[in-house]
Amino acid sequence: MIDDFLGDATQRMDKSVDATHDHFNSVRTGRATPALLDRITIDYYGTPTPLKQLATINVPEPRMLTIQPFDPSSIKSIEKAIQESDLGLTPSNDGKLIRLPMPQPTEERRKELVKVVRKIAEEGKVAVRNVRRDAVHHLKELKDVGSDDERRAEDNVQKLTDDHTKTIDDLLKHKEAEIMEV
């Protein structure tokens, strides 16, 4: 019974770490990556559709993204969605292909991005701690478990929490270094 709670807690903490990692990938660093455009949705015939389902996204150069829509008539709506996003990128198109040059972020912009990344990391840690709280709460509700087993299980949950929090910290350190790199 306790193993089920620990397995569930581990699985939920892993999901929190993965979600934090995905959020990190959507923060612009100055290096072009298709993951930057993951959050962009386009109104395609009345349906909000993720950009990656409407186009091929490539990285021909370290500071350039190209977007080639499957349907050329959607170029204008894709351009509009990119301009309205919080990425701060200006698309240009030649009728078939959209080019997104990635300007080098200023020192001030890099510091802002570090703050954003730290906030994302803190949200991830809060999610992990919420899983810990739920697991401990469920362990206390178990009737047929001795206090020694309960204490041991709580220690295991705390160890899981520490491991996952450290993973998020490591991801944060790596992302901060990537952002501050000139």
Side-chain angles (χ1 to χ4, degrees), residues 65-103:
L65 284 173
T66 58
I67 303 165
Q68 186 165 20
F70 303 129
D71 176 9
S73 67
S74 65
I75 275 193
K76 290 289 179 206
S77 54
I78 291 173
E79 261 191 318
K80 184 179 174 196
I82 291 170
Q83 286 174 333
E84 291 174 354
S85 73
D86 61 352
L87 292 175
L89 298 174
T90 307
S92 63
N93 82 56
D94 62 5
K96 296 178 188 162
L97 190 71
I98 297 173
R99 287 184 177 76
L100 278 177
M102 309 288 287

mmCIF file of all heavy atoms in Angstrom, residues 65-103:
data_model
loop_
_atom_site.group_PDB
_atom_site.id
_atom_site.type_symbol
_atom_site.label_atom_id
_atom_site.label_comp_id
_atom_site.label_asym_id
_atom_site.label_seq_id
_atom_site.Cartn_x
_atom_site.Cartn_y
_atom_site.Cartn_z
ATOM 1 N N LEU A 65 15.310 30.850 -37.576
ATOM 2 C CA LEU A 65 14.298 29.801 -37.696
ATOM 3 C C LEU A 65 13.577 30.018 -39.014
ATOM 4 O O LEU A 65 13.345 31.162 -39.418
ATOM 5 C CB LEU A 65 13.269 29.900 -36.564
ATOM 6 C CG LEU A 65 13.663 29.410 -35.186
ATOM 7 C CD1 LEU A 65 12.571 29.745 -34.181
ATOM 8 C CD2 LEU A 65 13.903 27.917 -35.194
ATOM 9 N N THR A 66 13.217 28.938 -39.680
ATOM 10 C CA THR A 66 12.369 29.060 -40.860
ATOM 11 C C THR A 66 11.111 28.230 -40.616
ATOM 12 O O THR A 66 11.165 27.158 -40.011
ATOM 13 C CB THR A 66 13.068 28.555 -42.145
ATOM 14 O OG1 THR A 66 13.447 27.198 -41.967
ATOM 15 C CG2 THR A 66 14.273 29.415 -42.482
ATOM 16 N N ILE A 67 10.002 28.779 -41.087
ATOM 17 C CA ILE A 67 8.708 28.114 -40.924
ATOM 18 C C ILE A 67 8.114 27.959 -42.319
ATOM 19 O O ILE A 67 7.913 28.952 -43.017
ATOM 20 C CB ILE A 67 7.762 28.957 -40.046
ATOM 21 C CG1 ILE A 67 8.421 29.220 -38.704
ATOM 22 C CG2 ILE A 67 6.423 28.267 -39.885
ATOM 23 C CD1 ILE A 67 7.753 30.326 -37.918
ATOM 24 N N GLN A 68 7.858 26.714 -42.708
ATOM 25 C CA GLN A 68 7.265 26.465 -44.008
ATOM 26 C C GLN A 68 5.888 25.844 -43.791
ATOM 27 O O GLN A 68 5.771 24.671 -43.438
ATOM 28 C CB GLN A 68 8.144 25.535 -44.834
ATOM 29 C CG GLN A 68 7.639 25.356 -46.239
ATOM 30 C CD GLN A 68 8.684 24.742 -47.129
ATOM 31 O OE1 GLN A 68 9.636 24.126 -46.668
ATOM 32 N NE2 GLN A 68 8.494 24.897 -48.428
ATOM 33 N N PRO A 69 4.829 26.651 -43.972
ATOM 34 C CA PRO A 69 3.462 26.146 -43.755
ATOM 35 C C PRO A 69 3.089 25.077 -44.784
ATOM 36 O O PRO A 69 3.510 25.150 -45.938
ATOM 37 C CB PRO A 69 2.577 27.379 -43.923
ATOM 38 C CG PRO A 69 3.491 28.547 -44.001
ATOM 39 C CD PRO A 69 4.842 28.048 -44.356
ATOM 40 N N PHE A 70 2.297 24.098 -44.342
ATOM 41 C CA PHE A 70 1.806 23.078 -45.259
ATOM 42 C C PHE A 70 0.783 23.702 -46.203
ATOM 43 O O PHE A 70 0.670 23.316 -47.354
ATOM 44 C CB PHE A 70 1.173 21.912 -44.492
ATOM 45 C CG PHE A 70 2.114 21.266 -43.509
ATOM 46 C CD1 PHE A 70 1.737 21.070 -42.195
ATOM 47 C CD2 PHE A 70 3.383 20.858 -43.900
ATOM 48 C CE1 PHE A 70 2.606 20.480 -41.291
ATOM 49 C CE2 PHE A 70 4.261 20.263 -42.997
ATOM 50 C CZ PHE A 70 3.860 20.076 -41.692
ATOM 51 N N ASP A 71 0.030 24.682 -45.696
ATOM 52 C CA ASP A 71 -0.968 25.405 -46.473
ATOM 53 C C ASP A 71 -0.483 26.849 -46.648
ATOM 54 O O ASP A 71 -0.515 27.625 -45.697
ATOM 55 C CB ASP A 71 -2.313 25.370 -45.735
ATOM 56 C CG ASP A 71 -3.388 26.174 -46.419
ATOM 57 O OD1 ASP A 71 -3.161 26.632 -47.561
ATOM 58 O OD2 ASP A 71 -4.465 26.347 -45.825
ATOM 59 N N PRO A 72 -0.014 27.225 -47.856
ATOM 60 C CA PRO A 72 0.533 28.571 -48.059
ATOM 61 C C PRO A 72 -0.449 29.705 -47.726
ATOM 62 O O PRO A 72 -0.022 30.818 -47.413
ATOM 63 C CB PRO A 72 0.889 28.599 -49.546
ATOM 64 C CG PRO A 72 1.037 27.170 -49.945
ATOM 65 C CD PRO A 72 0.107 26.399 -49.058
ATOM 66 N N SER A 73 -1.742 29.432 -47.748
ATOM 67 C CA SER A 73 -2.715 30.493 -47.440
ATOM 68 C C SER A 73 -2.709 30.857 -45.949
ATOM 69 O O SER A 73 -3.284 31.876 -45.560
ATOM 70 C CB SER A 73 -4.124 30.061 -47.863
ATOM 71 O OG SER A 73 -4.559 28.974 -47.066
ATOM 72 N N SER A 74 -2.044 30.053 -45.111
ATOM 73 C CA SER A 74 -2.015 30.329 -43.670
ATOM 74 C C SER A 74 -0.830 31.199 -43.252
ATOM 75 O O SER A 74 -0.669 31.503 -42.072
ATOM 76 C CB SER A 74 -1.999 29.015 -42.880
ATOM 77 O OG SER A 74 -0.803 28.319 -43.135
ATOM 78 N N ILE A 75 -0.009 31.626 -44.219
ATOM 79 C CA ILE A 75 1.195 32.415 -43.890
ATOM 80 C C ILE A 75 0.851 33.679 -43.114
ATOM 81 O O ILE A 75 1.504 33.998 -42.124
ATOM 82 C CB ILE A 75 1.995 32.751 -45.174
ATOM 83 C CG1 ILE A 75 2.919 31.583 -45.484
ATOM 84 C CG2 ILE A 75 2.806 34.013 -45.005
ATOM 85 C CD1 ILE A 75 3.971 31.868 -46.510
ATOM 86 N N LYS A 76 -0.169 34.404 -43.558
ATOM 87 C CA LYS A 76 -0.518 35.671 -42.895
ATOM 88 C C LYS A 76 -0.933 35.446 -41.442
ATOM 89 O O LYS A 76 -0.511 36.187 -40.557
ATOM 90 C CB LYS A 76 -1.649 36.385 -43.652
ATOM 91 C CG LYS A 76 -1.218 36.937 -44.986
ATOM 92 C CD LYS A 76 -0.301 38.114 -44.804
ATOM 93 C CE LYS A 76 0.152 38.663 -46.133
ATOM 94 N NZ LYS A 76 1.416 39.348 -46.082
ATOM 95 N N SER A 77 -1.748 34.426 -41.185
ATOM 96 C CA SER A 77 -2.192 34.180 -39.805
ATOM 97 C C SER A 77 -1.037 33.692 -38.927
ATOM 98 O O SER A 77 -0.973 34.017 -37.742
ATOM 99 C CB SER A 77 -3.371 33.200 -39.769
ATOM 100 O OG SER A 77 -3.063 32.016 -40.445
ATOM 101 N N ILE A 78 -0.089 32.955 -39.493
ATOM 102 C CA ILE A 78 1.080 32.505 -38.730
ATOM 103 C C ILE A 78 1.946 33.711 -38.376
ATOM 104 O O ILE A 78 2.370 33.866 -37.226
ATOM 105 C CB ILE A 78 1.897 31.454 -39.527
ATOM 106 C CG1 ILE A 78 1.114 30.145 -39.636
ATOM 107 C CG2 ILE A 78 3.249 31.200 -38.870
ATOM 108 C CD1 ILE A 78 1.745 29.111 -40.541
ATOM 109 N N GLU A 79 2.176 34.589 -39.359
ATOM 110 C CA GLU A 79 2.963 35.806 -39.106
ATOM 111 C C GLU A 79 2.322 36.653 -38.006
ATOM 112 O O GLU A 79 3.003 37.128 -37.098
ATOM 113 C CB GLU A 79 3.043 36.658 -40.385
ATOM 114 C CG GLU A 79 4.308 36.486 -41.148
ATOM 115 C CD GLU A 79 4.445 37.530 -42.237
ATOM 116 O OE1 GLU A 79 3.451 37.820 -42.926
ATOM 117 O OE2 GLU A 79 5.561 38.048 -42.387
ATOM 118 N N LYS A 80 1.015 36.811 -38.094
ATOM 119 C CA LYS A 80 0.288 37.624 -37.108
ATOM 120 C C LYS A 80 0.421 37.020 -35.707
ATOM 121 O O LYS A 80 0.672 37.738 -34.733
ATOM 122 C CB LYS A 80 -1.183 37.714 -37.512
ATOM 123 C CG LYS A 80 -2.010 38.608 -36.626
ATOM 124 C CD LYS A 80 -3.444 38.666 -37.102
ATOM 125 C CE LYS A 80 -4.267 39.457 -36.114
ATOM 126 N NZ LYS A 80 -5.698 39.254 -36.298
ATOM 127 N N ALA A 81 0.290 35.700 -35.599
ATOM 128 C CA ALA A 81 0.388 35.036 -34.292
ATOM 129 C C ALA A 81 1.788 35.208 -33.698
ATOM 130 O O ALA A 81 1.938 35.414 -32.490
ATOM 131 C CB ALA A 81 0.046 33.557 -34.425
ATOM 132 N N ILE A 82 2.822 35.144 -34.526
ATOM 133 C CA ILE A 82 4.195 35.309 -34.035
ATOM 134 C C ILE A 82 4.415 36.740 -33.559
ATOM 135 O O ILE A 82 5.012 36.977 -32.510
ATOM 136 C CB ILE A 82 5.221 34.918 -35.121
ATOM 137 C CG1 ILE A 82 5.164 33.414 -35.370
ATOM 138 C CG2 ILE A 82 6.631 35.331 -34.712
ATOM 139 C CD1 ILE A 82 5.938 32.946 -36.575
ATOM 140 N N GLN A 83 3.905 37.723 -34.326
ATOM 141 C CA GLN A 83 4.073 39.121 -33.942
ATOM 142 C C GLN A 83 3.346 39.439 -32.638
ATOM 143 O O GLN A 83 3.823 40.227 -31.833
ATOM 144 C CB GLN A 83 3.579 40.049 -35.054
ATOM 145 C CG GLN A 83 4.528 40.101 -36.228
ATOM 146 C CD GLN A 83 3.967 40.896 -37.395
ATOM 147 O OE1 GLN A 83 2.766 40.999 -37.567
ATOM 148 N NE2 GLN A 83 4.863 41.440 -38.212
ATOM 149 N N GLU A 84 2.197 38.813 -32.423
ATOM 150 C CA GLU A 84 1.406 39.078 -31.216
ATOM 151 C C GLU A 84 1.915 38.309 -30.001
ATOM 152 O O GLU A 84 1.494 38.580 -28.881
ATOM 153 C CB GLU A 84 -0.068 38.737 -31.466
ATOM 154 C CG GLU A 84 -0.733 39.688 -32.444
ATOM 155 C CD GLU A 84 -2.144 39.276 -32.812
ATOM 156 O OE1 GLU A 84 -2.580 38.176 -32.404
ATOM 157 O OE2 GLU A 84 -2.809 40.051 -33.505
ATOM 158 N N SER A 85 2.802 37.353 -30.218
ATOM 159 C CA SER A 85 3.333 36.571 -29.093
ATOM 160 C C SER A 85 4.316 37.417 -28.294
ATOM 161 O O SER A 85 4.716 38.501 -28.707
ATOM 162 C CB SER A 85 4.039 35.311 -29.608
ATOM 163 O OG SER A 85 5.269 35.662 -30.198
ATOM 164 N N ASP A 86 4.732 36.891 -27.134
ATOM 165 C CA ASP A 86 5.664 37.616 -26.261
ATOM 166 C C ASP A 86 7.126 37.305 -26.594
ATOM 167 O O ASP A 86 8.015 37.612 -25.810
ATOM 168 C CB ASP A 86 5.377 37.288 -24.793
ATOM 169 C CG ASP A 86 5.558 35.813 -24.489
ATOM 170 O OD1 ASP A 86 5.754 35.021 -25.430
ATOM 171 O OD2 ASP A 86 5.494 35.445 -23.313
ATOM 172 N N LEU A 87 7.384 36.726 -27.761
ATOM 173 C CA LEU A 87 8.748 36.344 -28.126
ATOM 174 C C LEU A 87 9.593 37.532 -28.572
ATOM 175 O O LEU A 87 10.808 37.491 -28.505
ATOM 176 C CB LEU A 87 8.733 35.296 -29.244
ATOM 177 C CG LEU A 87 8.181 33.926 -28.881
ATOM 178 C CD1 LEU A 87 8.111 33.037 -30.106
ATOM 179 C CD2 LEU A 87 9.031 33.285 -27.801
ATOM 180 N N GLY A 88 8.956 38.581 -29.079
ATOM 181 C CA GLY A 88 9.703 39.746 -29.524
ATOM 182 C C GLY A 88 10.446 39.497 -30.821
ATOM 183 O O GLY A 88 11.502 40.079 -31.060
ATOM 184 N N LEU A 89 9.898 38.650 -31.689
ATOM 185 C CA LEU A 89 10.526 38.345 -32.972
ATOM 186 C C LEU A 89 9.715 38.965 -34.102
ATOM 187 O O LEU A 89 8.491 39.048 -34.027
ATOM 188 C CB LEU A 89 10.609 36.832 -33.181
ATOM 189 C CG LEU A 89 11.445 36.062 -32.168
ATOM 190 C CD1 LEU A 89 11.323 34.567 -32.414
ATOM 191 C CD2 LEU A 89 12.881 36.496 -32.231
ATOM 192 N N THR A 90 10.403 39.378 -35.164
ATOM 193 C CA THR A 90 9.737 39.968 -36.319
ATOM 194 C C THR A 90 9.896 39.036 -37.513
ATOM 195 O O THR A 90 10.998 38.874 -38.039
ATOM 196 C CB THR A 90 10.357 41.341 -36.653
ATOM 197 O OG1 THR A 90 10.349 42.131 -35.472
ATOM 198 C CG2 THR A 90 9.572 42.037 -37.745
ATOM 199 N N PRO A 91 8.794 38.419 -37.946
ATOM 200 C CA PRO A 91 8.877 37.496 -39.071
ATOM 201 C C PRO A 91 8.924 38.240 -40.414
ATOM 202 O O PRO A 91 8.425 39.346 -40.536
ATOM 203 C CB PRO A 91 7.586 36.680 -38.957
ATOM 204 C CG PRO A 91 6.645 37.542 -38.203
ATOM 205 C CD PRO A 91 7.478 38.438 -37.335
ATOM 206 N N SER A 92 9.557 37.611 -41.401
ATOM 207 C CA SER A 92 9.506 38.117 -42.774
ATOM 208 C C SER A 92 9.227 36.918 -43.673
ATOM 209 O O SER A 92 9.720 35.819 -43.410
ATOM 210 C CB SER A 92 10.837 38.779 -43.153
ATOM 211 O OG SER A 92 11.871 37.840 -43.137
ATOM 212 N N ASN A 93 8.418 37.138 -44.720
ATOM 213 C CA ASN A 93 8.100 35.993 -45.576
ATOM 214 C C ASN A 93 8.339 36.328 -47.041
ATOM 215 O O ASN A 93 8.360 37.488 -47.432
ATOM 216 C CB ASN A 93 6.671 35.503 -45.324
ATOM 217 C CG ASN A 93 5.623 36.295 -46.053
ATOM 218 O OD1 ASN A 93 5.669 36.431 -47.267
ATOM 219 N ND2 ASN A 93 4.662 36.817 -45.315
ATOM 220 N N ASP A 94 8.511 35.268 -47.833
ATOM 221 C CA ASP A 94 8.700 35.427 -49.274
ATOM 222 C C ASP A 94 7.552 34.766 -50.034
ATOM 223 O O ASP A 94 7.680 34.444 -51.201
ATOM 224 C CB ASP A 94 10.051 34.855 -49.705
ATOM 225 C CG ASP A 94 10.183 33.369 -49.438
ATOM 226 O OD1 ASP A 94 9.189 32.733 -49.008
ATOM 227 O OD2 ASP A 94 11.282 32.820 -49.657
ATOM 228 N N GLY A 95 6.437 34.547 -49.355
ATOM 229 C CA GLY A 95 5.277 33.928 -49.984
ATOM 230 C C GLY A 95 5.170 32.436 -49.704
ATOM 231 O O GLY A 95 4.080 31.876 -49.713
ATOM 232 N N LYS A 96 6.292 31.770 -49.469
ATOM 233 C CA LYS A 96 6.278 30.333 -49.196
ATOM 234 C C LYS A 96 6.904 29.994 -47.856
ATOM 235 O O LYS A 96 6.578 28.988 -47.249
ATOM 236 C CB LYS A 96 7.064 29.577 -50.284
ATOM 237 C CG LYS A 96 6.483 29.677 -51.652
ATOM 238 C CD LYS A 96 7.356 28.958 -52.641
ATOM 239 C CE LYS A 96 6.870 29.214 -54.053
ATOM 240 N NZ LYS A 96 7.871 28.916 -55.062
ATOM 241 N N LEU A 97 7.826 30.850 -47.410
ATOM 242 C CA LEU A 97 8.635 30.553 -46.239
ATOM 243 C C LEU A 97 8.672 31.775 -45.326
ATOM 244 O O LEU A 97 8.818 32.896 -45.797
ATOM 245 C CB LEU A 97 10.055 30.208 -46.709
ATOM 246 C CG LEU A 97 11.031 29.649 -45.706
ATOM 247 C CD1 LEU A 97 10.640 28.222 -45.342
ATOM 248 C CD2 LEU A 97 12.430 29.658 -46.291
ATOM 249 N N ILE A 98 8.540 31.537 -44.018
ATOM 250 C CA ILE A 98 8.659 32.625 -43.046
ATOM 251 C C ILE A 98 10.022 32.496 -42.387
ATOM 252 O O ILE A 98 10.388 31.417 -41.918
ATOM 253 C CB ILE A 98 7.545 32.548 -41.976
ATOM 254 C CG1 ILE A 98 6.178 32.712 -42.614
ATOM 255 C CG2 ILE A 98 7.770 33.601 -40.896
ATOM 256 C CD1 ILE A 98 5.019 32.486 -41.654
ATOM 257 N N ARG A 99 10.763 33.589 -42.351
ATOM 258 C CA ARG A 99 12.073 33.599 -41.695
ATOM 259 C C ARG A 99 11.953 34.377 -40.389
ATOM 260 O O ARG A 99 11.376 35.454 -40.357
ATOM 261 C CB ARG A 99 13.119 34.253 -42.597
ATOM 262 C CG ARG A 99 13.507 33.385 -43.747
ATOM 263 C CD ARG A 99 14.625 34.024 -44.568
ATOM 264 N NE ARG A 99 15.051 33.146 -45.632
ATOM 265 C CZ ARG A 99 14.371 32.951 -46.756
ATOM 266 N NH1 ARG A 99 13.238 33.579 -46.957
ATOM 267 N NH2 ARG A 99 14.822 32.130 -47.682
ATOM 268 N N LEU A 100 12.545 33.815 -39.341
ATOM 269 C CA LEU A 100 12.558 34.471 -38.027
ATOM 270 C C LEU A 100 14.004 34.662 -37.586
ATOM 271 O O LEU A 100 14.600 33.765 -37.000
ATOM 272 C CB LEU A 100 11.846 33.595 -36.983
ATOM 273 C CG LEU A 100 10.344 33.659 -36.907
ATOM 274 C CD1 LEU A 100 9.839 32.669 -35.871
ATOM 275 C CD2 LEU A 100 9.887 35.037 -36.560
ATOM 276 N N PRO A 101 14.589 35.842 -37.846
ATOM 277 C CA PRO A 101 15.945 36.071 -37.343
ATOM 278 C C PRO A 101 15.915 36.274 -35.833
ATOM 279 O O PRO A 101 15.002 36.889 -35.295
ATOM 280 C CB PRO A 101 16.394 37.341 -38.070
ATOM 281 C CG PRO A 101 15.145 37.990 -38.536
ATOM 282 C CD PRO A 101 14.079 36.939 -38.632
ATOM 283 N N MET A 102 16.902 35.722 -35.145
ATOM 284 C CA MET A 102 16.969 35.817 -33.687
ATOM 285 C C MET A 102 18.023 36.853 -33.308
ATOM 286 O O MET A 102 19.216 36.554 -33.361
ATOM 287 C CB MET A 102 17.366 34.470 -33.081
ATOM 288 C CG MET A 102 16.557 33.287 -33.546
ATOM 289 S SD MET A 102 14.931 33.299 -32.891
ATOM 290 C CE MET A 102 15.280 32.853 -31.247
ATOM 291 N N PRO A 103 17.602 38.065 -32.936
ATOM 292 C CA PRO A 103 18.603 39.062 -32.540
ATOM 293 C C PRO A 103 19.254 38.670 -31.217
ATOM 294 O O PRO A 103 18.652 37.988 -30.389
ATOM 295 C CB PRO A 103 17.788 40.344 -32.390
ATOM 296 C CG PRO A 103 16.396 39.888 -32.136
ATOM 297 C CD PRO A 103 16.249 38.553 -32.820
#
